[in-house]
Amino acid sequence: MLAEVLEAAQSGLPFFLGQIPPGSKELYGFSANDDLSRARLGPGLQMHAITPRVLKQASAASNISSLLSETGMWFFPVLIESESKAMLVVDRVDSSWKAVSLGYAALGHELNDVLAQWPESKGFHPQLIAVFQAKQFYFAVPEMGDFNLTPITLSPGGFSNSGTRSGNNYTELAKAAESLQELKPIVLKAELYQAR
């Protein structure tokens, strides 16, 4: 990870935490009695994406690494103790890195389960993947081969949900071919809708 990305996250965290209105911690994924002064950043995950063009060309034999494109966004879990509560997003703005938002609480909560099941301490490095047209997050574990793509189950509200857990333990990785097959009609429908 670039030092500038981490620096932007470290300077952005206190700013965004300071913007949370009194009595509104729950809207950002924190509990009412969380001490925000104890919040710290977890390891950053670069967001990858699968674009509609690539998805259309994908086949059942496609490996995940060939489908991913890097985005300029990095997602940092915001931790209280060791629990992820929300995500701080760092993106490239003009020519410098800046923290641009605090949120994605539902994703933050689900990442607790993903990273507990596939921890870096055991040599795993899950990749965070978005399919923006489907409003869906996935993860892949490269150390388990190049053919896994597992949906991150967000409770209703998806991308913008304020953070209840789905209860998924993510022990089973989904086969990439199955996830791609489910995604194709959703993304094609979203593209048709946008074209109107």
Side-chain angles (χ1 to χ4, degrees):
M1 177 190 343
L2 299 170
E4 297 92 351
V5 174
L6 183 57
E7 194 176 304
Q10 289 170 336
S11 63
L13 181 62
F15 170 78
F16 278 101
L17 291 175
Q19 299 298 306
I20 296 174
S24 301
K25 289 183 197 173
E26 292 91 340
L27 295 174
Y28 293 84
F30 301 96
S31 66
N33 43 356
D34 278 338
D35 178 359
L36 296 184
S37 69
R38 301 188 66 194
R40 63 183 179 80
L41 295 170
L45 297 162
Q46 185 172 19
M47 178 63 73
H48 294 78
I50 299 176
T51 64
R53 183 182 57 78
V54 168
L55 186 59
K56 282 181 203 167
Q57 297 168 354
S59 72
S62 295
N63 61 15
I64 290 305
S65 57
S66 71
L67 304 178
L68 299 182
S69 54
E70 291 182 351
T71 73
M73 292 183 289
W74 287 79
F75 279 50
F76 288 83
V78 178
L79 309 173
I80 302 272
E81 303 302 331
S82 59
E83 187 179 352
S84 175
K85 300 284 189 164
M87 304 296 280
L88 181 73
V89 181
V90 173
D91 201 354
R92 198 164 185 84
V93 178
D94 298 323
S95 58
S96 61
W97 293 96
K98 288 191 174 17
V100 294
S101 68
L102 174 72
Y104 294 96
L107 177 62
H109 288 262
E110 290 304 310
L111 271 181
N112 287 316
D113 297 332
V114 172
L115 298 175
Q117 185 60 46
W118 305 100
E120 192 174 330
S121 62
K122 292 187 178 172
F124 298 113
H125 301 91
Q127 294 174 300
L128 186 57
I129 301 161
V131 181
F132 293 107
Q133 294 74 14
K135 297 184 178 174
Q136 177 67 53
F137 290 113
Y138 290 82
F139 73 96
V141 183
E143 293 81 8
M144 297 301 290
D146 206 11
F147 295 94
N148 65 84
L149 182 66
T150 305
I152 295 176
T153 309
L154 302 181
S155 46
F159 269 20
S160 58
N161 185 323
S162 64
T164 53
R165 300 177 91 121
S166 70
N168 199 335
N169 66 11
Y170 301 109
T171 52
E172 298 277 324
L173 294 176
K175 291 183 175 77
E178 292 171 9
S179 294
L180 294 171
Q181 199 60 38
E182 289 171 12
L183 265 174
K184 280 186 180 186
I186 297 168
V187 170
L188 292 174
K189 186 176 176 185
E191 277 201 311
L192 284 173
Y193 183 77
Q194 286 178 340
R196 287 183 185 174

